[in-house]
């Protein structure tokens, strides 16, 4: 079966983007900073808005709003991944975002490069991101709210925080400032997202 992406100019989209072989490269604070820089760099050239985002050790969830008359999220993701991949560190990873540790033998980068596919080697791609990603066209306000809740509750679901406000790599605090959430939100899993799984 051939997968077809939904293209809607000016649309809102939910995305899940995963690291290559789910390696926790986003536990390195420098990599999280580099990812932020990559987003800013691409947004200057190809504008879009981010309503919600969370960066976890091996994946990212976010909601984008594209400009009117523009449905090209694919090029934006390609550019973000490329910009990030040029300088990210895959040779060290930490168990938690605030505790980066070196790998004992520091051989991961060469090992990952050796094990990558012939296709990646032929295109001179670093083994940093999975090529594909999950995208969902947001249908209405209720759908938007559910996906925003999913994004912000995700660190709790993964056992990385006891409440969303504890996780430093998400848009939760900005959403609290906008009045979209109370700072206490997420002490238990919202029923509206219990069946959702975009990992």
């Amino acid at each position: 079966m051939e997968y077809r992406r939904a293209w809607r100019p000016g649309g809102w989209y939910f995305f899940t983007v995963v690291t290559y072989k789910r390696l926790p490269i986003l536990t390195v604070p420098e990599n999280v900073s580099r990812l932020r820089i990559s987003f800013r760099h691409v947004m200057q050239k190809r504008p879009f808005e981010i309503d919600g985002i969370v960066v976890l050790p091996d994946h990212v969830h976010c909601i984008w709003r594209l400009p009117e008359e523009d449905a090209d999220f694919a090029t934006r993701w390609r550019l973000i991944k490329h910009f990030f991949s040029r300088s990210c560190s895959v040779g060290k990873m930490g168990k938690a975002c605030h505790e980066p540790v070196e790998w004992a033998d520091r051989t991961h980068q060469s090992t990952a490069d050796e094990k990558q596919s012939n296709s990646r080697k032929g295109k001179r791609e670093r083994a940093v991101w999975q090529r594909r990603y999950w995208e969902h066209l947001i249908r209405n306000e209720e759908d938007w709210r559910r996906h925003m809740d999913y994004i912000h509750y995700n660190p709790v679901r993964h056992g990385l925080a006891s409440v969303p406000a504890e996780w430093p790599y998400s848009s939760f605090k900005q959403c609290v400032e906008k009045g979209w959430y109370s700072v206490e939100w997420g002490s238990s899993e919202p029923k509206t997202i219990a069946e959702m799984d975009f990992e």
Side-chain angles (χ1 to χ4, degrees):
M1 183 172 110
E2 184 181 341
Y3 177 73
R4 295 178 183 263
R5 295 201 180 275
W7 306 96
R8 178 181 293 171
W12 272 268
Y13 289 89
F14 168 84
F15 298 100
T16 299
V17 181
V18 180
T19 62
Y20 182 70
K21 294 189 177 181
R22 288 222 174 241
L23 294 172
I25 62 172
L26 298 174
T27 58
V28 181
E30 294 86 358
N31 284 345
V32 177
S33 295
R34 185 65 185 172
L35 185 60
R36 284 184 179 130
I37 292 166
S38 302
F39 269 93
R40 279 193 224 110
H41 176 76
V42 173
M43 290 170 90
Q44 287 175 355
K45 297 175 182 288
R46 293 178 176 263
F48 63 96
E49 293 180 25
I50 299 174
D51 285 357
I53 188 167
V54 65
V55 178
L56 296 145
D58 61 1
H59 64 287
V60 176
H61 297 298
C62 53
I63 293 178
W64 292 4
R65 182 168 43 139
L66 295 177
E68 295 298 325
E69 311 302 323
D70 189 343
D72 189 8
F73 54 80
T75 297
R76 288 170 170 86
W77 272 120
R78 181 177 53 78
L79 294 171
I80 290 166
K81 287 178 168 184
H82 175 74
F83 191 86
F84 175 84
S85 298
R86 288 188 308 175
S87 63
C88 78
S89 173
V90 295
K92 63 178 184 176
M93 290 178 280
K95 294 187 179 181
C97 285
H98 55 280
E99 297 176 18
V101 295
E102 296 267 279
W103 276 19
D105 61 3
R106 297 204 31 91
T107 59
H108 176 263
Q109 187 162 343
S110 60
T111 302
D113 290 342
E114 289 166 11
K115 291 183 179 178
Q116 66 182 308
S117 69
N118 288 334
S119 174
R120 279 188 190 268
K121 287 179 184 176
K123 293 180 180 179
R124 302 177 79 183
E125 292 178 10
R126 289 186 70 195
V128 175
W129 298 104
Q130 288 185 13
R131 281 192 177 161
R132 299 195 182 272
Y133 51 86
W134 170 259
E135 131 270 332
H136 166 77
L137 177 62
I138 300 292
R139 298 182 303 271
N140 53 38
E141 188 173 340
E142 180 184 348
D143 195 32
W144 178 87
R145 169 57 67 187
R146 288 178 67 232
H147 283 83
M148 287 287 284
D149 291 352
Y150 183 85
I151 286 169
H152 293 119
Y153 193 75
N154 216 247
V156 180
R157 184 176 266 190
H158 285 282
L160 299 168
S162 59
V163 291
E166 289 179 357
W167 188 247
Y169 303 119
S170 86
S171 56
F172 182 74
K173 289 177 183 170
Q174 291 92 334
C175 291
V176 168
E177 290 169 7
K178 292 176 183 177
W180 295 352
Y181 292 99
S182 70
V183 72
E184 300 85 15
W185 181 87
S187 57
S188 62
E189 183 175 53
K191 292 179 182 177
T192 56
I193 68 168
E195 302 298 319
M196 296 173 73
D197 186 7
F198 301 112
E199 302 306 308

